[in-house]
Amino acid sequence: MKKYFIFLVCVFASMSSFAKRDSTMHKSETDALSYGIYVFANQSFNENLDGDIHHKFGLNKNSVASGAYLGLAKEWNPIFGWRGNLGYNYNKSRSTAENHDKKCYSFSDVEGFGDLTFDVIDFIFRDRHFTALDLKLFAGIGALQTFGYTRDSLSYITDYKRHAGLHFGFRGGINASWNITRNFRLAAEVIMNGMDDGFNGVSGNFPLDGRLNLGGGLIYTPHPNLKKKKKFINDPLEPQMMLSEHYKVNAIVKYVTPESEKIKMRKVSGNAQIAYHLAKADLDKNFMQNQKELEKIKNSIDEVESDKSLEVTSIHLHGYCSPEGSYDFNRKLSRMRALTVKEYLVDTYKFEDHLFKVAATPENWIGLAKAIEKSNIPNKEELKEIAMNQSYADDDRENQLMLAAGANATVLKNEIYPKLRYTLYIIKFNVKNYAVKEARKVIKENPDKLSLREMYDVAFSYSKKSDEFLSALQTAVKLNPNDPVANLNLANAYIERNNLEEAKRYLDASEGLPEAIHARGIVAALEGDYDAAEEYLKEAESLGVKESAQVLPF
């Protein structure tokens, strides 16, 4: 019995030392006020028998009794709280050899206890993913009023107390509970009591009696109107968020790792408005603005060639001609003009011939229609319609266009047609893969060199609460605006920052992903729409997102 008393003192001391810690260091949520009702069986722990007699005639089912109590409980912070109980207890004891006929001494008491509680789950699991389970240690003190002694006392050592009285008590134990609905939890607990009622435990003249209680019950926690808009009271960067003083939501977002690019292919492109003499394909670098236009292509190639992390894989050249002249002549001319640009680049850079892909468009009607739209020609709608009409024979369309243009035919030939003669170039190249350390620098200077996976790895090399984490995910979306995974991961980052409006904006671009449905469920829950949240989360869970079952505690 002395060991038991020392044990309870140690429990109080250790819980008090934990209480001195700054509760703001913990990010889980504070449990709301709850009401409980319990029934239990109790067994006297220290029978009034010595040594071998206690071993021979000791505890058995005949001295098991029972009781019930009502309780209140609440937490001050995520780890520590209080609970109070008021109950009735029926006590039985079979303490002497003479009473081995299975008749037991008994009495009743009404007792009240106040306890300090310690939330084991919140203390160990700081992100509190296990909201369905609650596990608490507790220790406390109280008093009990005894009455109803039924027999004359017998004892080997000293007389039992047989008169009603008010007595001191203390206790310690553990309570486990599990959510079954939004408001109700099933609970079970083990309690070891110590008290000075004098009915048991008087062997060795030690005045305290020990009693072991095993109980089960139901806990009710009232919640406010769940449709009502709730307020956030957590750290805005903490994914564990409480929406009201009664109700908690585990915002366990599900990031998705993008697929790796085995070969990172990139490209640069542009238009070189190279001018040619009428009906000629020869490249005259000194004609009009040709030198400047050729520099456009060279600058693009030089940028790639000067970077050792890049490797040119192909150069695409596409020549365009204006519609004047015959179609067959323009078909040959447009290709020859593209080939002269190729020859210039081969001579300049000594590229292998196999790198080049050459194509041509004999008559640039699409470009013509766009140029007419931007012009001030009075009947430009009519001219545009002719330009886009593919039902004409090869050369009839250009003739019909000139007739319709009338006096503005010279505007077409002198101002618009020259702009339709150009070479489109596309330079394709491969980019090397980057380790995270190097990618951290690249994402700031040339993020387009990184794959979506590399940007994701950069983000997760930082703390999720850091600006760098958010910036890396923002860059991923900026360079891949239509990628659902990039948008989902950025939406998740905003959810963890309680920026739900931004989160919803990016979730709109991540449709089709089960993890996006899961995220929508979290957003709905954080906004107080629990019916919609349940629908989203059940759908996400059915699609394989196991975390969806942990978001709502019901």
Side-chain angles (χ1 to χ4, degrees), residues 283 294 297-298 301 305 315 317 338-358:
L283 179 59
L294 287 172
I297 305 177
K298 288 183 62 180
I301 294 176
E305 285 283 283
I315 299 174
L317 300 171
L339 287 172
T340 59
V341 177
K342 171 193 167 184
E343 291 170 3
Y344 168 77
L345 296 177
V346 169
D347 290 340
T348 304
Y349 293 97
K350 309 304 179 186
F351 284 134
E352 297 290 336
D353 187 75
H354 67 83
L355 288 178
F356 289 90
K357 309 292 181 184
V358 177

Side-chain angles (χ1 to χ4, degrees), residues 158-175:
T158 186
D159 287 340
Y160 291 108
K161 291 182 179 180
R162 291 178 290 113
H163 57 275
L166 184 64
H167 301 278
F168 164 77
F170 58 92
R171 67 180 185 178
I174 185 169
N175 177 285

